[in-house]
């Protein structure tokens, strides 16, 4: 990977991490209703990439289900989680998506689930449980339960996505926007209150956050990531996404006052190590270490 592309991948992970912090500030500090914020995000995405809706993926029902799972089923639940959970904890617990995807791929697609992936799954689960643990026992807060649900739903969507061929990144974003803006808008109009008050009290802050989440995160960062995946082997690009929880923890400590104690740090390390074990064989990990050792100059 060239230094330029490594820099782009680092930028993508930093954008994803910054989005968690900004979303936390909008939902917790500005008191924006989570589904209202999600609906605004998906509306912005759809407004920008709607021309890519013209080529309808087949089968359509599968694309709609994928859009629901990876749009409102993932992001909206994370926004709910950020009402009570810290961005750092959300970032770590979200790593459950990798082992859940491996298990679902084995169950639904018949992919192999060998001893290495089982061990990695156990490590990731142990790390997540450690993060959710407190001196009185397992602390199953509503926020982190939303993250667990988000990871499972997003993983199901990713498995379904494997069965759809020829969908380009912007086309995917367009269908996610369309399928997600409708249920999130319906939910916020039916069950949430205070949307107008929040908007009138913080128009510039809310508008900037929505544009960042919709344009910079969804359209720019996701498209860059898919471009790098097409340019390089997934075995090189995928582990670099582990920079995202690391950046999120650092930004959370700085901007949202996240407290990262030894227990949480050990849980994060164990969860991310499990992700690497699931995704890569020993020789692939060795090549990754060599890649970093020579300064990303390949």
């Amino acid at each position: 990977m060239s230094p330029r592309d490594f820099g782009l991948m680092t930028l993508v992970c930093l954008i994803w991490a910054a989005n968690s912090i900004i979303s936390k500030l909008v939902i917790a500090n500005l008191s924006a209703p989570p589904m209202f914020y999600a609906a605004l995000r998906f509306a912005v995405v759809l407004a920008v990439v709607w021309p890519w809706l013209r080529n309808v993926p087949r089968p359509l029902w599968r694309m709609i289900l994928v859009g629901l799972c990876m749009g409102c089923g993932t992001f909206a639940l994370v926004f709910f989680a950020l009402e009570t959970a810290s961005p750092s904890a959300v970032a770590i617990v979200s790593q459950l998506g990798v082992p859940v995807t491996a298990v679902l791929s084995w169950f639904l697609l018949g992919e192999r689930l060998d001893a290495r992936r089982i061990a990695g799954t156990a490590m990731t689960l142990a790390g997540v449980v450690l993060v959710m643990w407190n001196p009185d026992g397992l602390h199953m807060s509503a926020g982190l339960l939303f993250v667990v649900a988000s990871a499972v739903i997003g993983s199901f969507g990713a498995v379904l996505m494997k069965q759809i061929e020829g969908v380009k990144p912007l086309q995917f974003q367009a269908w996610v926007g369309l399928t997600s803006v409708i249920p999130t808008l319906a939910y916020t109009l039916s069950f949430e209150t205070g949307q107008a008050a929040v908007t009138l009290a913080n128009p510039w802050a809310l508008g900037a956050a929505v544009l960042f989440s919709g344009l910079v995160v969804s359209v720019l960062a996701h498209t860059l990531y898919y471009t790098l995946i097409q340019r390089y082997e997934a075995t090189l690009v995928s582990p670099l996404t582990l920079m995202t929880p690391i950046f999120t923890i650092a930004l959370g400590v700085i901007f949202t006052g996240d407290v990262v104690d030894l227990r949480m740090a050990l849980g994060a390390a164990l969860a991310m190590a499990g992700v690497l074990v699931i995704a890569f064989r020993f020789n692939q990990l060795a090549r990754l270490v060599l890649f970093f050792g020579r300064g990303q100059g390949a």
Side-chain angles (χ1 to χ4, degrees), residues 49 52-53 167-175 218-219 223 226:
V49 298
W52 278 267
L53 291 172
V167 179
K168 299 186 180 301
L170 289 177
Q171 185 182 15
F172 171 69
Q173 293 295 338
W175 281 95
S218 287
V219 178
T223 301
Y226 290 133

Side-chain angles (χ1 to χ4, degrees), residues 3-19 212 216-217 220-222 224-225 228 240 243-244 247 251:
R4 172 183 171 275
D5 286 343
F6 179 77
L8 288 176
M9 188 66 223
T10 303
L11 176 63
V12 167
C13 294
L14 187 57
I15 289 172
W16 288 343
N19 185 55
F212 178 83
V216 179
V217 178
L220 175 62
H222 285 1
L224 279 176
Y225 175 71
L228 292 172
L240 297 181
M243 290 188 287
T244 302
F247 287 154
L251 293 175

Side-chain angles (χ1 to χ4, degrees), residues 173-193:
Q173 293 295 338
W175 281 95
V176 168
L178 177 63
T179 57
S180 297
V181 72
I182 297 172
T184 53
L185 183 60
Y187 184 97
T188 190
L189 292 176
S190 301
F191 302 107
E192 293 181 332
T193 59

Side-chain angles (χ1 to χ4, degrees), residues 17-217:
N19 185 55
S20 296
I21 304 303
I22 292 172
S23 298
K24 173 67 176 181
L25 294 174
V26 169
I27 293 169
N29 291 19
L30 302 185
S31 300
M35 277 291 191
F36 173 61
Y37 184 52
L40 292 177
R41 173 202 174 111
F42 292 124
V44 168
V45 172
L46 182 60
V48 173
V49 298
W50 67 267
W52 278 267
L53 291 172
R54 293 171 183 170
N55 297 322
V56 180
R58 300 295 180 186
L60 178 59
W61 69 267
R62 193 183 300 275
M63 186 68 250
I64 292 174
L65 188 56
V66 168
L68 288 171
C69 288
M70 303 189 74
C72 63
T74 300
F75 287 104
L77 288 178
V78 168
F79 291 161
F80 273 124
L82 287 170
E83 282 190 297
T84 55
S86 70
S88 299
V90 169
I92 297 168
V93 176
S94 294
Q95 300 307 305
L96 273 176
V98 176
V100 171
T101 300
V103 172
L104 288 177
S105 295
W106 163 73
F107 182 73
L108 297 176
L109 303 179
E111 295 184 2
R112 191 175 69 164
L113 187 64
D114 55 18
R116 172 178 57 83
R117 293 183 179 180
I118 293 173
T121 298
M123 291 172 63
T124 305
L125 289 174
V128 168
V129 169
L130 188 57
V131 169
M132 299 173 72
W133 192 267
N134 67 20
D136 298 321
L138 189 62
H139 182 54
M140 299 297 287
S141 70
L144 293 184
L145 285 177
F146 278 126
V147 183
V148 173
S150 169
V152 173
I153 294 172
S155 298
F156 182 65
V159 171
L160 291 178
M161 188 68 183
K162 292 183 179 181
Q163 299 173 308
I164 304 177
E165 297 181 355
V167 179
K168 299 186 180 301
L170 289 177
Q171 185 182 15
F172 171 69
Q173 293 295 338
W175 281 95
V176 168
L178 177 63
T179 57
S180 297
V181 72
I182 297 172
T184 53
L185 183 60
Y187 184 97
T188 190
L189 292 176
S190 301
F191 302 107
E192 293 181 332
T193 59
Q195 298 93 327
V198 170
T199 304
L200 292 174
N202 308 280
W204 294 107
L206 181 61
V210 169
L211 289 176
F212 178 83
S213 184
L215 298 181
V216 179
V217 178

Side-chain angles (χ1 to χ4, degrees), residues 245-271:
I246 295 172
F247 287 154
T248 304
I249 292 171
L251 293 175
V253 171
I254 296 171
F255 293 105
T256 57
D258 292 6
V259 177
V260 181
D261 55 16
L262 179 60
R263 170 188 55 81
M264 192 169 178
L266 289 175
L270 187 58

